[in-house]
Amino acid sequence: MSKVQATGITRIVNAAGYSRAGLIAAWKNEAAFRQEAILCLAAVAIACWLSVTSVERILLIGSVILVVIVELLNSAIEAVVDRIGAEHHELSGRAKDMGSAAVLITLLLAALVWGGVLLPYGFR
């Protein structure tokens, strides 16, 4: 017997529920996610307060939101690897290290964007 797939608005509502559950799980279980989410909220508030162009504001906000997105993906990779088993495996370690590297690169990108946008305004 096959399972009937939800369609239309039901699928969208279900997907929103899964996304909410994922955000709650990340908040409860991942300290790095909590730290980056709080940093993101502060950065968004600062970006809205700054006297910059709309495009610059979008770049500032987008770069910190990207950090949170990549952290969610990194946390998902870590959860799957940890689910597979606790014993060390080269590929498991590599997957976790690559996820961590993706977060680092995204943090560096955000810093570069903020520096590039704010330096011309004299925020040194």
Side-chain angles (χ1 to χ4, degrees), residues 22-23 26 33 36 67-77 103:
L23 288 169
F33 175 79
E36 291 162 355
V67 171
V68 174
I69 292 168
V70 173
E71 182 60 47
L72 283 168
L73 295 170
N74 180 47
S75 296
I77 290 167
V103 173

Side-chain angles (χ1 to χ4, degrees), residues 6-21:
T7 59
I9 198 77
T10 302
R11 183 186 62 78
I12 293 168
V13 170
N14 289 346
Y18 303 141
S19 297
R20 181 178 179 273

Side-chain angles (χ1 to χ4, degrees), residues 13-122:
V13 170
N14 289 346
Y18 303 141
S19 297
R20 181 178 179 273
L23 288 169
I24 290 170
W27 185 265
K28 285 183 178 179
N29 299 301
E30 301 294 334
F33 175 79
R34 288 190 299 274
Q35 293 165 352
E36 291 162 355
I38 291 168
L39 177 65
C40 180
L41 289 174
V44 168
I46 291 167
C48 290
W49 173 77
L50 290 170
S51 180
V52 294
T53 68
S54 295
V55 171
E56 290 169 331
R57 185 170 289 112
I58 290 167
L59 287 169
L60 294 173
I61 293 171
S63 67
V64 294
I65 289 175
L66 188 60
V67 171
V68 174
I69 292 168
V70 173
E71 182 60 47
L72 283 168
L73 295 170
N74 180 47
S75 296
I77 290 167
E78 289 181 352
V80 169
V81 168
D82 290 346
R83 163 65 176 88
I84 292 170
E87 69 280 351
H88 176 75
H89 190 281
E90 180 187 346
L91 293 176
S92 296
R94 192 183 312 164
K96 285 185 165 190
D97 290 347
M98 288 177 180
S100 180
V103 173
L104 175 63
I105 290 169
T106 309
L107 284 165
L108 293 172
L109 173 65
L112 181 67
V113 168
W114 278 73
V117 168
L118 297 181
L119 281 177
Y121 287 97

